[in-house]
mmCIF file of all heavy atoms in Angstrom:
data_model
loop_
_atom_site.group_PDB
_atom_site.id
_atom_site.type_symbol
_atom_site.label_atom_id
_atom_site.label_comp_id
_atom_site.label_asym_id
_atom_site.label_seq_id
_atom_site.Cartn_x
_atom_site.Cartn_y
_atom_site.Cartn_z
ATOM 1 N N LEU A 156 0.102 -13.361 -13.547
ATOM 2 C CA LEU A 156 -0.959 -12.430 -13.369
ATOM 3 C C LEU A 156 -1.694 -12.728 -12.065
ATOM 4 O O LEU A 156 -2.123 -13.870 -11.859
ATOM 5 C CB LEU A 156 -1.941 -12.521 -14.553
ATOM 6 C CG LEU A 156 -3.025 -11.420 -14.708
ATOM 7 C CD1 LEU A 156 -3.462 -11.281 -16.127
ATOM 8 C CD2 LEU A 156 -4.215 -11.700 -13.805
ATOM 9 N N MET A 157 -1.765 -11.755 -11.197
ATOM 10 C CA MET A 157 -2.423 -11.903 -9.871
ATOM 11 C C MET A 157 -3.709 -11.112 -9.868
ATOM 12 O O MET A 157 -3.759 -10.042 -10.419
ATOM 13 C CB MET A 157 -1.489 -11.488 -8.772
ATOM 14 C CG MET A 157 -1.950 -11.790 -7.354
ATOM 15 S SD MET A 157 -0.884 -11.069 -6.018
ATOM 16 C CE MET A 157 0.616 -11.942 -6.335
ATOM 17 N N LEU A 158 -4.741 -11.644 -9.176
ATOM 18 C CA LEU A 158 -6.012 -10.994 -9.112
ATOM 19 C C LEU A 158 -6.459 -10.788 -7.689
ATOM 20 O O LEU A 158 -6.423 -11.709 -6.884
ATOM 21 C CB LEU A 158 -7.047 -11.871 -9.846
ATOM 22 C CG LEU A 158 -8.521 -11.396 -9.857
ATOM 23 C CD1 LEU A 158 -8.629 -10.118 -10.653
ATOM 24 C CD2 LEU A 158 -9.411 -12.502 -10.399
ATOM 25 N N ALA A 159 -6.871 -9.539 -7.376
ATOM 26 C CA ALA A 159 -7.443 -9.220 -6.089
ATOM 27 C C ALA A 159 -8.748 -8.455 -6.336
ATOM 28 O O ALA A 159 -9.154 -8.274 -7.473
ATOM 29 C CB ALA A 159 -6.448 -8.399 -5.273
ATOM 30 N N GLY A 160 -9.383 -8.012 -5.265
ATOM 31 C CA GLY A 160 -10.581 -7.232 -5.411
ATOM 32 C C GLY A 160 -11.808 -7.904 -4.778
ATOM 33 O O GLY A 160 -12.692 -8.379 -5.489
ATOM 34 N N ASN A 161 -11.814 -7.976 -3.458
ATOM 35 C CA ASN A 161 -12.968 -8.470 -2.703
ATOM 36 C C ASN A 161 -13.314 -9.920 -3.043
ATOM 37 O O ASN A 161 -14.482 -10.302 -3.137
ATOM 38 C CB ASN A 161 -14.180 -7.576 -2.932
ATOM 39 C CG ASN A 161 -15.190 -7.647 -1.812
ATOM 40 O OD1 ASN A 161 -14.838 -7.974 -0.673
ATOM 41 N ND2 ASN A 161 -16.449 -7.374 -2.100
ATOM 42 N N ILE A 162 -12.306 -10.770 -3.239
ATOM 43 C CA ILE A 162 -12.534 -12.220 -3.430
ATOM 44 C C ILE A 162 -13.022 -12.798 -2.095
ATOM 45 O O ILE A 162 -12.479 -12.490 -1.059
ATOM 46 C CB ILE A 162 -11.276 -12.891 -3.919
ATOM 47 C CG1 ILE A 162 -10.940 -12.403 -5.363
ATOM 48 C CG2 ILE A 162 -11.357 -14.399 -3.881
ATOM 49 C CD1 ILE A 162 -9.567 -12.797 -5.847
ATOM 50 N N GLN A 163 -14.038 -13.629 -2.167
ATOM 51 C CA GLN A 163 -14.619 -14.223 -0.995
ATOM 52 C C GLN A 163 -14.486 -15.748 -0.986
ATOM 53 O O GLN A 163 -14.394 -16.387 -2.072
ATOM 54 C CB GLN A 163 -16.129 -13.875 -0.939
ATOM 55 C CG GLN A 163 -16.453 -12.408 -0.924
ATOM 56 C CD GLN A 163 -15.994 -11.734 0.308
ATOM 57 O OE1 GLN A 163 -16.132 -12.217 1.428
ATOM 58 N NE2 GLN A 163 -15.432 -10.519 0.160
ATOM 59 N N ILE A 164 -14.432 -16.341 0.210
ATOM 60 C CA ILE A 164 -14.298 -17.830 0.278
ATOM 61 C C ILE A 164 -15.474 -18.575 -0.258
ATOM 62 O O ILE A 164 -15.399 -19.743 -0.653
ATOM 63 C CB ILE A 164 -13.929 -18.322 1.688
ATOM 64 C CG1 ILE A 164 -15.004 -17.977 2.697
ATOM 65 C CG2 ILE A 164 -12.600 -17.826 2.139
ATOM 66 C CD1 ILE A 164 -14.822 -18.607 4.100
ATOM 67 N N GLU A 165 -16.655 -17.859 -0.327
ATOM 68 C CA GLU A 165 -17.848 -18.512 -0.832
ATOM 69 C C GLU A 165 -17.866 -18.480 -2.363
ATOM 70 O O GLU A 165 -18.715 -19.166 -3.036
ATOM 71 C CB GLU A 165 -19.146 -17.774 -0.344
ATOM 72 C CG GLU A 165 -19.307 -17.778 1.142
ATOM 73 C CD GLU A 165 -18.556 -16.613 1.792
ATOM 74 O OE1 GLU A 165 -18.020 -15.752 1.096
ATOM 75 O OE2 GLU A 165 -18.491 -16.585 3.080
ATOM 76 N N ASP A 166 -16.988 -17.693 -3.036
ATOM 77 C CA ASP A 166 -16.896 -17.664 -4.462
ATOM 78 C C ASP A 166 -16.597 -19.030 -5.064
ATOM 79 O O ASP A 166 -15.990 -19.872 -4.375
ATOM 80 C CB ASP A 166 -15.883 -16.659 -4.918
ATOM 81 C CG ASP A 166 -16.177 -15.241 -4.551
ATOM 82 O OD1 ASP A 166 -17.286 -14.975 -4.099
ATOM 83 O OD2 ASP A 166 -15.295 -14.383 -4.708
ATOM 84 N N ASN A 167 -16.964 -19.233 -6.295
ATOM 85 C CA ASN A 167 -16.477 -20.420 -7.033
ATOM 86 C C ASN A 167 -15.072 -20.130 -7.446
ATOM 87 O O ASN A 167 -14.807 -19.514 -8.478
ATOM 88 C CB ASN A 167 -17.376 -20.665 -8.227
ATOM 89 C CG ASN A 167 -16.999 -21.964 -8.946
ATOM 90 O OD1 ASN A 167 -15.940 -22.526 -8.694
ATOM 91 N ND2 ASN A 167 -17.887 -22.445 -9.782
ATOM 92 N N LEU A 168 -14.142 -20.564 -6.615
ATOM 93 C CA LEU A 168 -12.712 -20.241 -6.818
ATOM 94 C C LEU A 168 -12.188 -20.810 -8.119
ATOM 95 O O LEU A 168 -11.227 -20.260 -8.685
ATOM 96 C CB LEU A 168 -11.894 -20.709 -5.601
ATOM 97 C CG LEU A 168 -12.288 -20.137 -4.257
ATOM 98 C CD1 LEU A 168 -11.455 -20.764 -3.161
ATOM 99 C CD2 LEU A 168 -12.105 -18.635 -4.239
ATOM 100 N N GLU A 169 -12.771 -21.854 -8.592
ATOM 101 C CA GLU A 169 -12.331 -22.454 -9.861
ATOM 102 C C GLU A 169 -12.421 -21.476 -11.018
ATOM 103 O O GLU A 169 -11.641 -21.535 -11.973
ATOM 104 C CB GLU A 169 -13.078 -23.729 -10.151
ATOM 105 C CG GLU A 169 -12.725 -24.885 -9.235
ATOM 106 C CD GLU A 169 -12.982 -26.250 -9.865
ATOM 107 O OE1 GLU A 169 -12.665 -26.393 -11.030
ATOM 108 O OE2 GLU A 169 -13.518 -27.129 -9.181
ATOM 109 N N ASN A 170 -13.403 -20.592 -10.945
ATOM 110 C CA ASN A 170 -13.605 -19.594 -12.032
ATOM 111 C C ASN A 170 -12.392 -18.662 -12.204
ATOM 112 O O ASN A 170 -12.102 -18.205 -13.285
ATOM 113 C CB ASN A 170 -14.830 -18.729 -11.766
ATOM 114 C CG ASN A 170 -16.137 -19.563 -11.924
ATOM 115 O OD1 ASN A 170 -16.118 -20.618 -12.545
ATOM 116 N ND2 ASN A 170 -17.235 -19.071 -11.352
ATOM 117 N N TYR A 171 -11.690 -18.427 -11.092
ATOM 118 C CA TYR A 171 -10.543 -17.544 -11.168
ATOM 119 C C TYR A 171 -9.377 -18.152 -11.959
ATOM 120 O O TYR A 171 -8.505 -17.446 -12.440
ATOM 121 C CB TYR A 171 -10.103 -17.133 -9.739
ATOM 122 C CG TYR A 171 -11.140 -16.337 -9.022
ATOM 123 C CD1 TYR A 171 -11.664 -16.755 -7.801
ATOM 124 C CD2 TYR A 171 -11.594 -15.139 -9.493
ATOM 125 C CE1 TYR A 171 -12.607 -16.034 -7.093
ATOM 126 C CE2 TYR A 171 -12.570 -14.367 -8.818
ATOM 127 C CZ TYR A 171 -13.060 -14.867 -7.597
ATOM 128 O OH TYR A 171 -14.020 -14.111 -6.960
ATOM 129 N N LYS A 172 -9.369 -19.441 -12.021
ATOM 130 C CA LYS A 172 -8.256 -20.102 -12.742
ATOM 131 C C LYS A 172 -8.236 -19.782 -14.222
ATOM 132 O O LYS A 172 -7.178 -19.816 -14.852
ATOM 133 C CB LYS A 172 -8.344 -21.641 -12.608
ATOM 134 C CG LYS A 172 -8.124 -22.102 -11.159
ATOM 135 C CD LYS A 172 -8.500 -23.528 -10.976
ATOM 136 C CE LYS A 172 -7.436 -24.442 -11.548
ATOM 137 N NZ LYS A 172 -7.591 -25.844 -11.144
ATOM 138 N N GLU A 173 -9.379 -19.354 -14.775
ATOM 139 C CA GLU A 173 -9.471 -18.980 -16.151
ATOM 140 C C GLU A 173 -8.927 -17.530 -16.385
ATOM 141 O O GLU A 173 -8.655 -17.149 -17.477
ATOM 142 C CB GLU A 173 -10.906 -19.002 -16.634
ATOM 143 C CG GLU A 173 -11.571 -20.374 -16.521
ATOM 144 C CD GLU A 173 -13.064 -20.324 -16.818
ATOM 145 O OE1 GLU A 173 -13.500 -19.288 -17.352
ATOM 146 O OE2 GLU A 173 -13.751 -21.334 -16.567
ATOM 147 N N ILE A 174 -8.798 -16.803 -15.279
ATOM 148 C CA ILE A 174 -8.405 -15.369 -15.373
ATOM 149 C C ILE A 174 -7.004 -15.111 -14.902
ATOM 150 O O ILE A 174 -6.232 -14.362 -15.543
ATOM 151 C CB ILE A 174 -9.392 -14.512 -14.553
ATOM 152 C CG1 ILE A 174 -10.816 -14.748 -15.001
ATOM 153 C CG2 ILE A 174 -9.007 -13.042 -14.629
ATOM 154 C CD1 ILE A 174 -11.840 -14.078 -14.112
ATOM 155 N N ALA A 175 -6.604 -15.768 -13.792
ATOM 156 C CA ALA A 175 -5.360 -15.418 -13.124
ATOM 157 C C ALA A 175 -4.500 -16.629 -12.728
ATOM 158 O O ALA A 175 -5.066 -17.732 -12.603
ATOM 159 C CB ALA A 175 -5.643 -14.572 -11.909
#
Side-chain angles (χ1 to χ4, degrees):
L156 190 157
M157 188 186 296
L158 177 67
N161 204 26
I162 292 171
Q163 302 293 319
I164 60 172
E165 299 85 8
D166 295 350
N167 185 346
L168 300 177
E169 291 205 41
N170 290 341
Y171 295 121
K172 296 170 75 170
E173 300 172 12
I174 303 173

